[in-house]
């Protein structure tokens, strides 16, 4: 089996699992209503990733070795005395 075929099979398995999880989470909610929630979450994730990249590229955080951007951000707030 080629690498492409293996990736395709793994991808379809992943897609199947994602659909099953979405159906479980959605429950009795209409698909069009559920779509609004999911699109909001996807957009929020996009903004979060974009902010992390921007913070890293501008060197605005003192990021220690092995520390994620979120951990550095939280530590910075704690050091500044912010809640």
């Amino acid at each position: 089996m080629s690498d492409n075929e293996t990736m395709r099979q793994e991808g379809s398995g992943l897609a199947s699992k994602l659909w099953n999880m979405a159906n479980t989470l959605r429950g009795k909610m209409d698909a069009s209503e559920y779509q609004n929630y999911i699109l909001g979450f996807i957009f929020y994730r996009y903004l979060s990733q974009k902010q992390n990249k921007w913070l890293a590229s501008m060197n605005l955080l003192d990021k220690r070795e092995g520390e994620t951007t979120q951990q550095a951000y939280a530590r910075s707030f704690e050091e500044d005395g912010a809640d």
Side-chain angles (χ1 to χ4, degrees):
M1 185 179 304
S2 72
D3 289 340
N4 287 339
E5 290 172 347
T6 303
M7 288 175 59
R8 213 173 298 129
Q9 285 180 347
E10 289 174 358
S12 66
L14 177 61
S16 174
K17 288 179 185 177
L18 289 173
W19 276 113
N20 288 337
M21 289 186 327
N23 286 334
T24 301
L25 290 172
R26 181 167 51 97
K28 295 181 185 202
M29 186 184 303
D30 184 50
S32 61
E33 185 181 352
Y34 180 71
Q35 170 187 336
N36 294 332
Y37 289 100
I38 294 301
L39 290 175
F41 286 133
I42 291 170
F43 183 65
Y44 179 74
R45 177 66 179 159
Y46 165 78
L47 291 177
S48 178
Q49 289 175 332
K50 191 151 182 84
Q51 179 185 17
N52 286 343
K53 288 178 184 176
W54 182 78
L55 287 169
S57 70
M58 299 300 286
N59 292 322
L60 295 174
L61 292 174
D62 179 28
K63 197 169 161 185
R64 297 176 182 162
E65 182 150 351
E67 190 175 46
T68 66
T69 304
Q70 289 85 357
Q71 290 168 335
Y73 196 67
R75 184 178 42 78
S76 174
F77 265 87
E78 287 176 12
E79 290 172 355
D80 290 343
D83 290 332

